[in-house]
Amino acid sequence: MILLQRSIKALRYHWKRTLLVIAVYTALFSLLLLMAVLNISSEQQIRDTQMGIGNSVLVRKVRLEDLNIRDSLSMFKEEEIQTLTTDARVASYNLLVKGGANLTEGTPYIADQALYDDLLKRSSGREERADNAQFIGVTDSQYSVFFSGAGFCLIDGSGITRADEGQNVVLISEKVAAINGWHVGDRIALATTKNYGLSKGKPFEAEIKGIYACPEDSFIRDTIEYTPDSLPENYIFIPQTTITAMEPILCQVNMVFLYLQNPDLIESYIADMRAKLGDVAEDITQRGWHVQFRYTWDEEWNQIVSAPFQEISRVTGAAMAVILLGTLAVVILISSGELREKRKELGVWLACGERKGRILTQTLLEKLFPIIVAGAAALTISLAAAGPVSRMIVSDTSEQFNRQIQEQRQEVGFWEICYIMEVELRAGNYDYFYVSSQVDLYRSRGAISGAACGGLGLLGVVLAMQIFLAMGKDPRTLLGDTQ
């Protein structure tokens, strides 16, 4: 406590210099942390994209007799899922199902109330009997195509993982959360599909595990209607095992996404699965029909999707190295100047018998205070600036990519009335993925905090060594040195 009081008195005595040092450090740290934040976040998104696309294999059971319907799929048997997912080469997986959902004690998001009201009048009550939300059953929400592939990102709480299997936990959108005043940890009343009044739906409660945001131009906006259940803001992500247990008929698995350890294992994995499962099997839902196991993957598409984040990583990595060296040099120079002014004070303390360890601790506290204050301010500034700066770096690349995908959607819509992401998936079309124009900071918050603490620790070690060397001289030498 005494050392801290001494440090505070010294800082107050040199308050003008302290403020100037804080201002200089804030400017330097802001640049350094901005590059670090962008680099860490972009690297995380590159890894996520590699796992979600580059290492991913989509497995479907396509009905051979139903040739006129391109997305006609059969459900998987439990033993088939076990064979596909328990292989040692599989790092993670997603069992995807979709089903109608209802907020029984909450209000869904309505994008255009006037348009929806008009639809209700024209539908003769049909839409009033419809579901007001939609369940997306997943095993791992982070790698779900309806989450990351649609440009969704968590802004609070945590995502759904395999540890949540069978649990009543959900992810909801920030807009639904705001309308109803809900927060992470709240329990909400839900129900399964009403099927346009043909069913009452099964009521249950679930805990909000996370809240997500979705972009305005997400590819998931695949409908020509404005009904609540078709809007991504009303998607409710839930563990696949949970919703399948509630609706075993309507929510069966017919698409399996497998994320392998690395893309080099894909071909051998598929060959082994074909040997174990065969190419053709009997359809368990249609007697006399047959299904074919089909495997789809696209490593090249991963390179296209991750290109913007690779660009951010390259630019920020080089800039970060240069700024880091410059920052260290400035901190050492400022510290050296302060220590030269402090030589007589150090000599007095040593001559009075004060232990070197106590002097070092006090002096280090004086030097760390402006660094910590500047670091906190710089971290706030860098986090606020990361989004706009990342958009400046990759906006052209991401906008051009998304525009090309939009054109593909319109081409599909020309022939099939509207583009539906699930239908494209069921047909095995893998060439889509929403590319965000900015980095996802929430996903990388732990790594960013670790990097900031690591940088503070590095500066602390450097300054401690500098102070130790400054005290290495005899007290008489320090007191007699007027330079």
Side-chain angles (χ1 to χ4, degrees):
M1 182 61 69
I2 294 176
L3 295 180
L4 182 60
Q5 291 174 345
R6 288 180 188 174
S7 301
I8 293 172
K9 287 181 180 179
L11 291 168
R12 290 177 61 185
Y13 182 77
H14 299 288
W15 67 271
K16 290 184 179 179
R17 183 180 68 187
T18 301
L19 290 178
L20 179 60
V21 170
I22 289 175
V24 173
Y25 284 170
T26 299
L28 285 172
F29 293 168
S30 294
L31 283 174
L32 178 61
L33 286 173
L34 176 59
M35 295 300 106
V37 165
L38 290 173
N39 187 264
I40 291 170
S41 301
S42 59
E43 287 291 335
Q44 179 65 59
Q45 284 176 261
I46 290 171
R47 288 192 295 271
D48 285 347
T49 305
Q50 176 62 46
M51 176 68 81
I53 304 178
N55 297 1
S56 175
V57 178
L58 166 60
V59 186
R60 301 164 295 136
K61 293 173 67 177
V62 180
R63 292 191 175 110
L64 298 178
E65 283 79 5
D66 201 5
L67 299 179
N68 293 325
I69 304 178
R70 69 188 184 117
D71 65 344
S72 181
L73 303 181
S74 179
M75 68 180 66
F76 281 85
K77 298 177 182 178
E78 184 62 34
E79 55 266 30
E80 292 170 341
I81 293 175
Q82 287 291 320
T83 300
L84 290 166
T85 58
T86 56
D87 189 278
R89 289 163 289 195
V90 176
S92 186
Y93 60 88
N94 251 315
L95 308 179
L96 180 66
V97 300
K98 290 182 68 180
N102 288 277
L103 300 169
T104 57
E105 296 180 4
T107 303
Y109 170 73
I110 306 295
D112 190 321
Q113 188 66 53
L115 182 63
Y116 182 56
D117 289 342
D118 181 63
L119 179 64
L120 291 179
K121 291 178 182 178
R122 291 185 286 107
S123 64
S124 302
R126 179 178 183 273
E127 292 301 333
E128 292 178 330
R129 299 192 301 271
D131 303 322
N132 62 19
Q134 188 163 172
F135 284 125
I136 310 292
V138 297
T139 310
D140 189 329
S141 60
Q142 177 58 36
Y143 300 120
S144 169
V145 291
F146 283 94
F147 193 83
S148 58
F152 292 11
C153 61
L154 276 175
I155 58 172
D156 195 10
S158 56
I160 291 172
T161 66
R162 290 170 63 183
D164 298 313
E165 289 185 359
Q167 301 298 310
N168 287 9
V169 295
V170 294
L171 308 182
I172 63 171
S173 74
E174 59 177 336
K175 291 189 176 179
V176 169
I179 290 171
N180 294 281
W182 292 337
H183 303 88
V184 171
D186 290 348
R187 294 191 67 82
I188 61 176
L190 301 169
T192 58
T193 182
K194 292 186 294 187
N195 200 16
Y196 291 100
L198 298 177
S199 170
K200 291 183 179 180
K202 299 177 181 177
F204 68 100
E205 283 192 350
E207 179 182 330
I208 299 174
K209 189 182 182 189
I211 297 174
Y212 67 86
C214 55
E216 291 297 324
D217 55 347
S218 171
F219 301 150
I220 208 69
R221 299 184 187 279
D222 54 19
T223 180
I224 57 177
E225 300 286 3
Y226 252 64
T227 56
D229 65 305
S230 67
L231 296 171
E233 287 85 358
N234 295 322
Y235 281 6
I236 300 173
F237 290 87
I238 189 168
Q240 171 270 322
T241 49
T242 302
I243 191 61
T244 298
M246 293 183 185
E247 289 287 359
I249 303 300
L250 298 177
C251 295
Q252 286 294 329
V253 176
N254 53 30
M255 284 186 285
V256 178
F257 291 83
L258 302 151
Y259 313 112
L260 274 60
Q261 303 286 352
N262 64 72
D264 294 336
L265 300 174
I266 290 178
E267 291 188 5
S268 64
Y269 171 81
I270 292 175
D272 288 348
M273 291 303 107
R274 281 177 170 156
K276 292 179 180 181
L277 300 175
D279 278 334
V280 178
E282 290 187 2
D283 190 340
I284 61 175
T285 57
Q286 293 289 341
R287 182 174 295 181
W289 286 23
H290 295 81
V291 295
Q292 182 181 53
F293 287 92
R294 292 186 183 174
Y295 305 82
T296 310
W297 75 99
D298 196 337
E299 168 63 18
E300 182 180 356
W301 191 247
N302 169 66
Q303 297 301 319
I304 297 173
V305 171
S306 62
F309 304 115
Q310 291 175 359
E311 186 176 347
I312 292 177
S313 180
R314 285 192 297 269
V315 171
T316 57
M320 185 171 60
V322 173
I323 296 173
L324 176 60
L325 292 176
T327 300
L328 282 173
V330 170
V331 170
I332 291 172
L333 286 173
I334 291 175
S335 178
S336 297
E338 291 174 341
L339 286 173
R340 280 196 296 270
E341 295 180 9
K342 206 175 178 67
R343 282 184 176 180
K344 284 192 175 182
E345 181 182 337
L346 294 175
V348 170
W349 285 115
L350 289 171
C352 291
E354 188 70 85
R355 295 195 302 274
K356 285 187 177 182
R358 289 173 60 84
I359 299 173
L360 188 150
T361 302
Q362 176 187 331
T363 307
L364 185 60
L365 287 173
E366 294 174 20
K367 294 185 178 301
L368 285 179
F369 175 79
I371 289 176
I372 293 173
V373 172
L379 185 59
T380 302
I381 293 170
S382 63
L383 291 174
V389 171
S390 62
R391 286 196 297 271
M392 289 173 58
I393 297 176
V394 303
S395 60
D396 290 342
T397 304
S398 59
E399 287 175 7
Q400 181 181 8
F401 179 87
N402 289 329
R403 190 164 51 249
Q404 290 173 349
I405 299 302
Q406 180 69 22
E407 291 173 357
Q408 291 184 16
R409 283 185 62 193
Q410 292 171 352
E411 183 178 350
V412 170
F414 177 80
W415 295 104
E416 301 182 21
I417 303 177
C418 66
Y419 176 97
I420 300 178
M421 189 175 181
E422 183 184 5
V423 172
E424 295 303 302
L425 273 176
R426 291 164 67 93
N429 295 333
Y430 219 62
D431 55 346
Y432 72 90
F433 205 89
Y434 179 86
V435 177
S436 175
S437 59
Q438 67 180 58
V439 294
D440 179 5
L441 301 179
Y442 189 82
R443 177 94 166 117
S444 308
R445 62 194 186 282
I448 292 171
S449 300
C453 293
L456 176 62
L458 174 63
L459 288 176
V461 171
V462 171
L463 293 175
M465 292 176 62
Q466 195 177 30
I467 297 168
F468 181 79
L469 292 174
M471 293 189 306
K473 296 181 180 180
D474 186 86
R476 290 173 296 182
T477 303
L478 292 173
L479 289 170
D481 193 345
T482 59
Q483 297 297 320

